[in-house]
Structure formats: C-alpha cells, structure tokens
Amino acid sequence: MKIFKDKQVLKNEISGLKNLCFVPTMGGLHNGHKSLIKKAGRFGRKILVTIFVNPKQFNSKKDFLSYPKEIKKDLIFLKKLKINYLYLPTFKDIYSFKTKHKIYEDKIGKTLCGKFRKSHFKGVLNVINRFLEIIKPRYIFLGKKDFQQLYLIQKHIKKKKIKTQVIQCKTIREKSGIACSSRNLNLNESEKRIASKVYHLIKNEKFTIKKTKKIKFDTKQIKRKIMSYGVKKIDYLEYLNTSNLKKVKNFKSKFNIFIAYYLKNIRLIDNI
Ligand code: AMP
C-alpha cells in the first residue's frame, strides 16, 4: 500500500492507469467500508482509498471535532485489505486549486439531511468533485447507507458528464441490525440497544406494509414509539421512492423508510 499526502505525487503515480477503483472515506473504518473495498476488488483493478474528514460538510464545529479519527487503526485495517493506494490529503491539498467543473446540486439536496444540515451536501459535492478531478477514477464505490449522498453524487456526475461510473454498494449491518457507521464508535451499549430497537421497528413497519398492503402510513405513531425508546430528537422519518426520493403514497411503489435521529448528541441516519 503506497501512501500519498500530495496530489501531484499521487497524480504522477496513477496517471495512465485505465480502470482505477476509488473508495472515498472519512476514516473510522468498519465493515461497511470493507465491503466497498471488497467489491472494488471484484472488479479486479487497482484500488485507491482516501481518508479525509472534510470540514466543509460539517455544519457544526463540535460535530467535526467529535467525528472519530482513528488513523493508526485505519492503516492496519487497509494494509490487511491489500489496497494499492491511500491518499491522505491535507485541507490545502484539496482546496487550493480551481476546479474544472462547478458543483451541481440537484434540488433533492435541499430535502431530508439537506434541510437539517445546511450546506452539508454542497460540502460533500465539493470534495467529491475535487477528488474526481485529481484521481480521474474509472469507478467510484458508494454505500446505499448514505442514500441521499449517493443520489446527489450520481446526479452531479451525470450532469457534468464526468467519465466515472458509480457503483452502488449495499448497507452492511452489525448483528443487532444497526448500520455500521463510524459514528457508532461514540455510542455506548445502551444507546446501541436503542438504535437496534429503532432498526427493528422500521424493518417490521416495512414488512407490515408489504404484507398487509397498507395504504396509509402513520408516521406520527411510529415517531412516538421511537421517542419512547429514549431517542432525543427525530429530524425526519419518511417513506420515499428509491428511484427519485419522492414521497410514496402507497405500498405499490418500491420504497425505503428513511430516518435521521439523535441519540445524545450523535446523529444517526439509515434507510431500510
Ligand atoms: P464515510 O466514511 O462515512 O464517509 O463513508 C464512506 C463510504 O462508505 C460512503 O460511500 C458510505 O455510504 C459508505 N458506508 C458507510 N457506512 C456503510 C455501511 N454500513 N454499509 C455500506 N456502506 C457504508
């Protein structure tokens, strides 16, 4: 595994590589990241991982500072997976050049997480746009765990006619059902139990809708139940069509239930 901190040195190394697989991360690596890397491996090409906790996508300094940073563990984790390149940029390395493309933020970026975390997706699209210009990968691997992010990056790539293909990767979960997330490192055991209850409640709700062909969704009742578990705040709970992230009206559409909620001051998101 070759490690780079300077984009020019990285570019010299990877220029000319035809089918580079790119896995962007913010570190605090877990089985979700591992599955993206494994999937990239199945493409049989060179794999480049980035670790960069992008300050521009955090709307609260406190949240940025408390985001798990585990670089020593991450290095061991990545070495085991035998990736080819790791790019660990500084803020300056990423933000000190003028990009070819301006970012395109689809209007969906103002809904769900975008409504509650102002300029979050602008920050995400900014950094991904820059990575794509530096790395020029053939493939980028993104998790459905962050479905809205995946959706918006896809829209940006399409709109700007960038020659990188998005490979969608399924959500990996812990035994308890909760989605693997770097933020889980900040949860204690009792908070993890609550998160697990939330997951099972939503999963059962979806199952019931499909089975009973329920037409009306009672979000109020579900939200009440979630709060009764000890959840501090729910930003949103929505039933959305997975092809366009619009609200679904009944069981006939292909949908997921999207949630963002707080345990203590830790914000968790999922879609089931
Ligand atoms: P992050 O380090 O949280 O920015 O995530 C980096 C990439 O890993 C993103 O494409 C995420 O969607 C993906 N990812 C995070 N958690 C999971 C998970 N539990 N399952 C699958 N992919 C994930």
Side-chain angles (χ1 to χ4, degrees):
M1 176 171 86
K2 290 189 180 171
I3 301 176
F4 299 86
K5 294 199 168 157
D6 180 288
K7 62 176 174 298
Q8 200 47 53
V9 183
L10 174 72
K11 279 182 181 180
N12 293 345
E13 172 81 25
I14 62 175
S15 75
L17 286 180
K18 280 218 169 73
N19 291 308
L20 190 58
C21 296
F22 170 38
V23 182
T25 83
M26 296 207 297
L29 301 176
H30 51 66
N31 283 339
H33 298 115
K34 185 174 171 179
S35 78
L36 267 57
I37 293 167
K38 290 269 181 197
K39 188 154 184 171
R42 288 202 289 280
F43 280 64
R45 315 260 158 62
K46 300 244 172 182
I47 301 172
L48 187 155
V49 174
T50 54
I51 297 181
F52 179 59
V53 186
N54 173 31
K56 285 189 189 273
Q57 70 188 69
F58 287 81
N59 50 331
S60 133
K61 191 156 186 202
K62 211 169 150 204
D63 190 26
F64 171 67
L65 293 174
S66 64
Y67 195 86
K69 295 166 188 85
E70 308 250 321
I71 192 66
K72 274 193 189 151
K73 276 193 198 161
D74 288 349
L75 287 176
I76 297 168
F77 187 99
L78 291 173
K79 269 187 195 151
K80 273 195 200 147
L81 291 173
K82 296 190 169 50
I83 63 153
N84 304 93
Y85 311 111
L86 171 63
Y87 177 33
L88 294 171
T90 57
F91 181 88
K92 197 167 159 231
D93 211 43
I94 289 291
Y95 287 107
S96 65
F97 71 100
K98 197 170 179 316
T99 57
K100 180 174 156 207
H101 296 295
K102 277 197 175 148
I103 58 165
Y104 167 72
E105 187 182 355
D106 185 271
K107 58 182 183 309
I108 286 293
K110 297 277 178 272
T111 68
L112 303 170
C113 288
K115 197 166 147 191
F116 294 90
R117 301 181 74 194
K118 299 280 177 231
S119 74
H120 167 64
F121 288 120
K122 218 170 153 204
V124 170
L125 291 166
N126 190 352
V127 77
I128 291 292
N129 185 41
R130 286 167 181 275
F131 275 136
L132 293 176
E133 292 194 7
I134 296 168
I135 298 164
K136 298 189 175 38
R138 174 74 188 84
Y139 304 101
I140 180 170
F141 295 78
L142 298 169
K144 290 188 194 175
K145 149 85 169 46
D146 301 282
F147 201 95
Q148 191 180 11
Q149 167 176 291
L150 168 72
Y151 183 89
L152 291 168
I153 293 173
Q154 254 172 341
K155 289 276 177 191
H156 167 76
I157 287 178
K158 194 163 176 224
K159 186 85 175 176
K160 299 292 167 177
K161 300 190 173 69
I162 296 168
K163 290 192 191 98
T164 296
Q165 191 182 333
V166 174
I167 308 295
Q168 301 189 359
C169 305
K170 70 172 187 197
T171 301
I172 303 300
R173 298 182 179 279
E174 296 184 4
K175 271 204 189 102
S176 65
I178 62 177
C180 298
S181 165
S182 312
R183 289 179 190 272
N184 295 353
L185 289 166
N186 290 340
L187 297 175
N188 64 29
E189 285 312 308
S190 92
E191 287 152 357
K192 279 192 180 171
R193 275 195 293 277
I194 297 174
S196 170
K197 280 167 88 173
V198 172
Y199 164 75
H200 287 288
L201 179 74
I202 294 178
K203 195 167 174 244
N204 286 339
E205 163 73 356
K206 190 169 171 189
F207 182 74
T208 311
I209 291 169
K210 295 256 174 224
K211 199 172 151 211
T212 60
K213 303 195 184 334
K214 199 161 119 180
I215 294 197
K216 242 182 137 225
F217 303 143
D218 190 355
T219 42
K220 269 194 192 147
Q221 202 205 346
I222 307 258
K223 279 185 181 174
R224 260 202 304 274
K225 211 156 183 186
I226 291 173
M227 297 296 274
S228 78
Y229 295 158
V231 165
K232 210 170 134 189
K233 191 171 116 183
I234 301 170
D235 273 351
Y236 59 78
L237 175 83
E238 297 202 29
Y239 300 62
L240 302 173
N241 189 315
T242 43
S243 62
N244 55 17
L245 288 182
K246 296 219 167 103
K247 286 189 192 203
V248 283
K249 304 258 179 322
N250 61 52
F251 66 91
K252 283 179 195 150
S253 320
K254 203 165 181 291
F255 72 94
N256 271 0
I257 302 176
F258 287 71
I259 186 164
Y261 67 99
Y262 282 85
L263 281 172
K264 246 177 0 200
N265 54 347
I266 302 157
R267 189 173 188 274
L268 300 173
I269 61 168
D270 204 348
N271 67 95
I272 294 148

